[in-house]
Amino acid sequence: MNYPKSFTDLVECFKRLPGIGGKSAERLAYHVLSMDKEYVQEFANVLSHFQDNIHYCKKCGHICEGELCEICKDETRDQSVICVVESPKDVFAMEKVREYHGLYHVLHGTISMIDGKTIDDLNINSLFERLDGVKEVIIATNPTREGETTALFLAKLLAKKGIETSRIANGLPIGSNIDYADELTLLKSLEGRKKI
Ligand SMILES: [Zn+2]
């Protein structure tokens, strides 16, 4: 006997989420069955509102609700330093450090042989468009093979434009992600950055 179509439609939607397999998707669908109507409506509204209102900042690629993110709009931040990270999650991680007052640029990924991603697939053109007045670019991609490859490639491109580039220090464990690092480790890594 098959599930009713409305049920399988919801299961299929859940299955498209990362880390959710068939069994988990079914479990979630059963859970929705037990939820009260107001909550299901609120959930649907929040999802729809999220989709309509969350964008990537036109300048740096971080997430925001308007054209520009809070960091790009903040004129008190040091406009001469840009910290390049892989994802918006890393911006939130770096902000926890509190010692960094410059700007960010989010690449939305890394160069990856396995996934066939090249430098052209990253949010990189908008970085080159905002280098006026920038004295230093700190590359804070994750200490993974892909993160290191991306850092080297980016440093070469920036060197051609005469921009001083530094890489966060190796205080972070190899293969780890910046958004999992604690504040002290990140602070040390930032302070110990080296020119590349
Ligand atoms: Zn921004």
Side-chain angles (χ1 to χ4, degrees), residues 135-146:
K135 294 199 182 85
E136 183 186 5
V137 171
I138 302 167
I139 304 179
T141 49
N142 290 324
T144 57
R145 183 184 297 181
E146 291 81 11

Side-chain angles (χ1 to χ4, degrees), residues 1 4 12 32 38-39 103 114 123 136 154 182 189:
M1 189 186 165
E12 287 307 313
V32 175
E38 287 78 30
Y39 181 52
L103 304 173
I114 299 166
N123 178 32
E136 183 186 5
L154 193 53
D182 64 83
S189 186

Side-chain angles (χ1 to χ4, degrees), residues 83-106:
C83 178
V84 177
V85 294
E86 290 180 23
S87 83
K89 281 187 287 186
D90 303 327
V91 174
F92 291 108
M94 294 296 288
E95 281 297 282
K96 279 193 283 179
V97 175
R98 292 173 198 275
E99 300 293 320
Y100 178 72
H101 305 294
L103 304 173
Y104 292 94
H105 195 85
V106 183

Side-chain angles (χ1 to χ4, degrees), residues 9-147:
D9 284 350
L10 186 59
V11 169
E12 287 307 313
C13 279
F14 282 134
K15 268 166 72 178
R16 281 190 240 156
L17 297 172
I20 304 286
K23 285 278 165 219
S24 299
E26 278 180 22
R27 193 167 43 79
L28 288 169
Y30 273 113
H31 181 71
V32 175
L33 260 183
S34 71
M35 284 159 55
D36 62 54
K37 203 172 178 183
E38 287 78 30
Y39 181 52
V40 174
Q41 195 56 56
E42 185 194 336
F43 199 104
N45 289 344
V46 168
L47 264 183
S48 170
H49 184 81
F50 179 92
Q51 177 92 71
D52 290 342
N53 291 284
I54 296 283
H55 309 286
Y56 291 128
C57 171
K58 285 210 164 128
K59 205 167 171 188
C60 74
H62 189 37
I63 52 172
C64 61
E65 287 197 311
E67 283 225 327
L68 296 177
C69 72
E70 295 303 310
I71 295 167
C72 285
K73 279 194 279 190
D74 185 351
E75 287 174 5
T76 66
R77 299 200 62 123
D78 184 349
Q79 309 285 317
S80 70
V81 189
I82 296 178
C83 178
V84 177
V85 294
E86 290 180 23
S87 83
K89 281 187 287 186
D90 303 327
V91 174
F92 291 108
M94 294 296 288
E95 281 297 282
K96 279 193 283 179
V97 175
R98 292 173 198 275
E99 300 293 320
Y100 178 72
H101 305 294
L103 304 173
Y104 292 94
H105 195 85
V106 183
L107 294 177
H108 295 288
T110 52
I111 296 172
S112 169
M113 300 277 227
I114 299 166
D115 301 329
K117 265 186 141 183
T118 68
I119 198 97
D120 296 328
D121 296 311
L122 305 179
N123 178 32
I124 221 155
N125 288 336
S126 54
L127 173 64
F128 294 136
E129 284 165 10
R130 55 188 290 226
L131 293 175
D132 275 354
V134 171
K135 294 199 182 85
E136 183 186 5
V137 171
I138 302 167
I139 304 179
T141 49
N142 290 324
T144 57
R145 183 184 297 181
E146 291 81 11

